[in-house]
Amino acid sequence: MQLEFSTENTSFFREELPLIPMAGDVVGILPENCPEHIGLLSQLVQDSAEDAYFLAGQYESDEGSYYQKEDALKYLSLNPLKAETLSLLKDRLNLKEIEYSQEAEEKLDHLLALHEEAPENTQRLLRHCHLIDLLKAFPGVLSLQDLCSTQGEINRRVYTISGIKRDE
């Protein structure tokens, strides 16, 4: 994959501190959830009064970080849906003896059965499932901390600059 970034009109070329990117420098992509998804998440998760939420990192080398509620919603990984989130949801449903639509429960049971049969195939299947769709089917069952501990943080991307094309 090749990405091209324009450094025209960016802080790279501020007069006070001219930072000129060079081959070998690193560019980070730090994604955030869109405001619409943040609003939906706020409505669909169980309300909790925690001061900070721990979002697990996506890589073994990334231990994770604590965030305030708004930032936790901003950086929560929504896709792919994790099998751990499904299992926790099923446990919460059993514990609270909550009944939801038969169709939603059947889909959840089907996904969990597939995971038990072939866990290695589950991530491929869950890549096409979105957390918000699951929360719409089962609103108020999982807390934000539940989601933070199972879904983790959005993957950050870091790219090394391999070359710079300069206009002369």
Side-chain angles (χ1 to χ4, degrees), residues 5 25 44 59 83-84 108 120-121 123 146:
F5 297 95
D25 287 350
L44 296 171
Y59 307 105
E84 295 83 8
L108 178 62
E120 65 280 356
N121 295 330
Q123 286 307 323
D146 290 335

Side-chain angles (χ1 to χ4, degrees), residues 37 40 44 100 104 130-140:
H37 284 156
L40 275 171
L44 296 171
Y100 284 87
H130 201 280
L131 177 63
I132 288 181
D133 294 332
L134 182 75
L135 294 175
K136 282 180 180 177
F138 301 98

Side-chain angles (χ1 to χ4, degrees), residues 86-101:
L86 292 176
S87 296
L88 184 60
L89 175 63
K90 187 65 178 174
D91 291 346
R92 293 282 194 275
L93 287 171
N94 290 337
L95 183 68
K96 295 179 179 185
E97 297 179 3
I98 299 172
E99 288 189 27
Y100 284 87
S101 78

